Amino acid sequence: MLVTDCTVLDLPKLADGRGNLSIIEDNRQIPFAIKRAYWIYDVPGGDERGGHAYRRNQEFIVALSGSFDVVIRDGQDERVFSLNRSYKGVYVPGGLWRVMRNFSTNSVALILASEEYDEGDYIMDFDEFKQWKADEAADRI
Ligand code: TYD
């Protein structure tokens, strides 16, 4: 997987005088079935989250409130997605390094995941990640 495999996806937005409503369903607005949802909030100013890769887990990340950046790296290139709308999110396939940073005050990041939590799916060291990507590429030749 490469940074170019990440995509920003628009969610339905049902605008209404009473407020807006957006929707995410398995394999419809996002390209996987949701096994897990978690959210990150009350991030102190200047702190980062993530800073690891998943081997398999795919994610869809939405700024439900406020704003933050999702930085994706594939070992060669980097892309930064600035999220600040609750009807848009970024799809991140497995096999990519990701960091979340620049959280605004009171921001809430909703993360939908394709896998259950599995500590063994994480790669926590960037050099190890780059080696894993290189081994993966060599296996494909
Ligand atoms: P981590 O994935 O490192 O968070 P982030 O990538 O946002 O910095 O998880 C932080 C802690 O929470 C770690 O101890 C594992 C635990 N955790 C779970 O138990 N279940 C989960 O689904 C997630 C995402 C984390």
Side-chain angles (χ1 to χ4, degrees):
M1 286 298 164
L2 301 173
V3 294
T4 47
D5 294 309
C6 293
T7 41
V8 173
L9 301 173
D10 285 314
L11 301 169
K13 177 181 172 187
L14 280 69
D16 187 307
R18 300 168 300 157
N20 302 325
L21 184 153
S22 290
I23 305 156
I24 305 175
E25 297 159 295
D26 283 357
N27 291 312
R28 296 203 48 190
Q29 292 81 14
I30 59 171
F32 59 85
I34 301 160
K35 283 224 179 115
R36 180 165 54 107
Y38 61 96
W39 45 102
I40 294 172
Y41 50 97
D42 292 346
V43 178
D47 275 8
E48 293 190 347
R49 300 296 310 226
H52 53 68
Y54 303 109
R55 290 178 172 81
R56 281 191 318 125
N57 187 45
Q58 306 168 61
E59 290 191 333
F60 184 69
I61 305 172
V62 187
L64 280 190
S65 180
S67 62
F68 52 85
D69 294 338
V70 181
V71 183
I72 305 294
R73 301 173 77 183
D74 58 18
Q76 301 280 339
D77 295 311
E78 176 179 297
R79 270 177 94 184
V80 180
F81 297 91
S82 295
L83 299 180
N84 58 6
R85 294 283 182 267
S86 29
Y87 54 86
K88 244 179 215 300
V90 61
Y91 166 66
V92 184
L96 295 169
W97 188 265
R98 81 146 166 79
V99 176
M100 296 165 69
R101 67 182 187 207
N102 291 337
F103 287 89
S104 68
T105 305
N106 292 331
S107 56
V108 180
L110 171 70
I111 298 140
L112 303 175
S114 68
E115 308 299 325
E116 288 167 11
Y117 175 70
D118 172 12
E119 208 182 329
D121 192 44
Y122 282 66
I123 303 176
M124 301 298 294
D125 178 82
F126 192 66
D127 286 334
E128 189 188 329
F129 168 69
K130 282 200 292 190
Q131 186 59 52
W132 179 73
K133 293 296 275 184
D135 294 347
E136 229 193 0
D139 282 350
R140 278 200 302 272
I141 293 168

